[in-house]
Amino acid sequence: MPSLPLTFEHIDRQPYKDVPDIDDASRINYDAWQIKYDGIWGRFEFKNNCYWIYSRDNKLKEHGRVEQEVMFPSEFTLIGEFLVSSQWAQDPKWKGKFFAFDCIKFESFDLRKKSYLDRYHKAKEIVASLSWDKVQLAKNFRRCDLEGFWSKIRDDHSYEGVVFRKFEDNYAQTVHRLKLELEDEFVITSWKPGEPSGRHHSRMGAVL
């Protein structure tokens, strides 16, 4: 098992903005869309035939060695969706797979200021060179295919949603996404205990 290197840079996730519904998606300026799997954002570091996968909070989720010799390239950083944790990702055909949709480092070159199309092409090249079932490419789909796909997953919940891509964007620009179920994060600042005579006695009664 490879040792943990100390030289990898912590990379923040691109800013995301949720689109409320499919009708709003038609008003977004985008060139292609990709499937949103039910996984976690992941950063895939590769060096000297070893790999390390980090989550968005820079926690190491998995590391190992690629058994086949990879001659090209010798070092790179992919961004993608790592299929772990969720119930959906426990399906044997998905579990542990990494769907790459971006490449932000190639050898010693930082690609974050390059266009998304350039970065995607580099990710595609790398995935092809790996020829490894664990790492797959998130495919780009045409605008005209969105409505039919959305109708399908709205019925069968086979995927989490879609992500919209604009080919000229660099890594710092906001990415739009459309999810079947919108989520939000809240901070609990205080709470009140349940009334002594009520059914919530000795439990949390109200969140403030």
Side-chain angles (χ1 to χ4, degrees):
M1 191 66 68
S3 60
L4 180 64
L6 303 176
T7 57
F8 291 151
E9 176 189 0
H10 171 54
I11 303 295
D12 288 327
R13 189 184 71 169
Q14 273 184 285
Y16 278 85
K17 183 176 181 180
D18 288 314
V19 179
D21 56 51
I22 189 67
D23 293 331
D24 292 285
S26 63
R27 293 187 284 272
I28 297 175
N29 181 18
Y30 69 95
D31 299 298
W33 57 271
Q34 298 164 348
I35 294 174
K36 174 76 175 73
Y37 301 89
D38 191 9
I40 66 170
W41 182 94
R43 189 178 91 247
F44 186 101
E45 300 281 4
F46 182 89
K47 188 173 185 178
N48 300 328
N49 258 67
C50 297
Y51 72 93
W52 298 260
I53 301 177
Y54 293 90
S55 62
R56 61 182 292 191
D57 54 359
N58 210 38
K59 291 183 178 178
L60 182 65
K61 307 302 287 187
E62 182 177 306
H63 67 299
R65 185 173 185 85
V66 180
E67 294 305 321
Q68 67 267 32
E69 187 67 23
V70 179
M71 302 301 295
F72 169 80
S74 62
E75 183 176 353
F76 58 81
T77 303
L78 296 174
I79 303 297
E81 195 162 2
F82 186 35
L83 302 191
V84 292
S85 303
S86 70
Q87 182 177 354
W88 185 88
Q90 300 312 304
D91 187 316
K93 71 177 180 180
W94 301 120
K95 189 175 182 179
K97 287 192 169 30
F98 187 93
F99 280 85
F101 51 71
D102 207 339
C103 175
I104 59 172
K105 183 181 179 183
F106 182 78
E107 304 293 0
S108 60
F109 299 100
D110 187 335
L111 306 181
R112 283 174 285 183
K113 291 185 179 180
K114 297 287 187 180
S115 72
Y116 179 69
L117 189 60
D118 287 343
R119 303 194 317 272
Y120 182 80
H121 282 164
K122 187 58 69 177
K124 184 177 182 179
E125 182 180 356
I126 289 171
V127 172
S129 73
L130 282 174
S131 188
W132 185 26
D133 185 58
K134 182 180 184 66
V135 181
Q136 301 186 23
L137 185 72
K139 296 180 180 179
N140 283 334
F141 294 92
R142 301 173 300 174
R143 292 181 66 115
C144 62
D145 296 325
L146 177 61
E147 188 173 345
F149 177 80
W150 190 254
S151 296
K152 175 184 179 300
I153 67 170
R154 191 166 47 193
D155 290 339
D156 62 17
H157 289 252
S158 50
Y159 297 99
E160 190 179 15
V162 298
V163 179
F164 302 100
R165 297 292 179 182
K166 193 173 180 181
F167 290 154
E168 66 181 26
D169 281 357
N170 62 41
Y171 188 75
Q173 291 174 284
T174 299
V175 175
H176 290 83
R177 64 186 180 183
L178 175 62
K179 299 174 69 174
L180 283 174
E181 297 180 3
L182 288 178
E183 301 173 349
D184 208 341
E185 297 181 355
F186 300 91
V187 175
I188 297 175
T189 59
S190 183
W191 61 279
K192 290 182 178 180
E195 294 292 336
S197 58
R199 61 190 179 94
H200 294 298
H201 177 56
S202 300
R203 294 186 292 177
M204 185 183 298
V207 175
L208 306 178

